[in-house]
Amino acid sequence: MDNLLNITISDNALSRMKEIAGAQPLRLDIGSTGCSGNSYNLSKIEATDDSDDVIEFDNVKFAIPKMKSWMLIGTHIDYKESDLASEFTFENPNEKGRCGCGESFTL
């Protein structure tokens, strides 16, 4: 499957996603939340459908709602762990700003 969205995923993030997803696809979505308006959402789903753009990295399928795909063009996803937290991080060139706590962003 072509990755026309130019999304990249670090090896560390892909490894963690494989642990989470198993054989199921993951949905990568942008939801409304926080003081800046948008947040990234990653969840397991049963199957993709026609309303999704589907990309694949090393046998992990990602379903992205077609209506929101443009928001993720060029995004790099990483996974970071520390003594206090573990999280996926998103570097999105389409972001125009982030809230002070980093929980949400604007496009």
Side-chain angles (χ1 to χ4, degrees):
M1 290 173 207
D2 290 332
N3 182 357
L4 299 176
L5 302 175
N6 292 320
I7 293 173
T8 58
I9 301 177
S10 72
D11 291 340
N12 200 29
L14 188 57
S15 176
R16 181 66 181 127
M17 289 172 180
K18 285 179 180 180
E19 290 174 15
I20 292 169
Q24 288 183 271
L26 294 171
R27 178 165 312 285
L28 177 56
D29 198 358
I30 292 180
S32 298
T33 191
C35 51
S36 289
N38 300 295
S39 66
Y40 298 102
N41 300 310
L42 187 64
S43 59
K44 287 194 322 187
I45 58 174
E46 293 295 320
T48 62
D49 61 43
D50 290 339
S51 67
D52 295 320
D53 281 324
V54 179
I55 59 175
E56 188 172 331
F57 293 89
D58 197 23
N59 297 319
V60 178
K61 287 184 182 179
F62 294 87
I64 301 167
K66 288 181 180 181
M67 296 293 290
K68 297 180 183 176
S69 292
W70 67 270
M71 298 178 188
L72 295 165
I73 293 172
T75 297
H76 177 72
I77 305 169
D78 198 2
Y79 181 74
K80 298 184 180 187
E81 291 183 278
S82 71
D83 291 339
L84 299 176
S86 59
E87 64 183 345
F88 289 102
T89 61
F90 298 83
E91 293 175 29
N92 185 340
N94 303 301
E95 287 184 21
K96 301 297 182 213
R98 282 193 168 254
C99 66
C101 66
E103 288 290 320
S104 61
F105 64 95
T106 57
L107 291 171

